[in-house]
Structure formats: C-alpha cells, structure tokens
Amino acid sequence: MNKEETIYCGSGKVMSDNWLKVTINPAKIAEYIQEYNGNKFVKLNINIKPEPDQYGKNVSISVDTWKPEEKAVSNDSNDLPF
C-alpha cells in the first residue's frame, strides 16, 4: 500500500468542546468531488492539533483519499464458490 501525499484543504480553530470553526479552500477539493445516488460530496479528515500553529489554528483539514484495495476478479471456472 502506497502512502499518498496529504492534500491539505483548510484549517480552523476549536471554539468550544462541541464547536469547530473552519475554512475550506474549494479549489483544493474540486477534483475530489464524488457522486453517489445523484448527490455530490467530498470526504474530509478533520484533526485537532495539540498546539496551535503560528496563526492560532489548531484544526487541520485534509482530503480523505483512501480507497479500498481492488481485488482481482478471476474468470477461472474452477473458482466456483460451491
């Protein structure tokens, strides 16, 4: 499994225990828009950092590019499940 480069697309700040305030750059996520049942979406990873960066941001947002490994399909007639 190859480790892909992390695609950072935004940042933010923890405002309270149940509130994150974030900004996302749409240009960085445009090519990762997926469609399912007529709806468009982008999978993101949101991480809270232990220490804020130089701009006071302690939330990091990146594109979730994980895909399950594709299994090889066998057309061999000896591969019957019974």
Side-chain angles (χ1 to χ4, degrees):
M1 181 167 126
N2 294 336
K3 176 146 174 65
E4 292 187 31
E5 180 180 339
T6 302
I7 301 144
Y8 291 101
C9 60
S11 63
K13 192 171 185 180
V14 175
M15 304 303 287
S16 70
D17 287 345
N18 57 356
W19 177 29
L20 303 177
K21 192 172 195 176
V22 301
T23 303
I24 297 173
N25 181 338
K28 292 191 176 190
I29 63 172
E31 70 180 272
Y32 300 98
I33 295 173
Q34 301 177 38
E35 189 167 334
Y36 181 76
N37 287 340
N39 296 304
K40 293 182 179 182
F41 65 94
V42 176
K43 296 187 324 183
L44 300 173
N45 297 316
I46 300 174
N47 299 299
I48 299 173
K49 301 185 278 187
E51 296 293 324
D53 65 13
Q54 65 190 36
Y55 305 106
K57 306 291 184 174
N58 57 356
V59 174
S60 170
I61 303 169
S62 61
V63 177
D64 183 349
T65 58
W66 181 85
K67 293 179 184 167
E69 291 183 26
E70 292 184 22
K71 296 182 179 177
V73 177
S74 175
N75 289 331
D76 188 359
S77 61
N78 293 331
D79 260 354
L80 297 176
F82 50 89

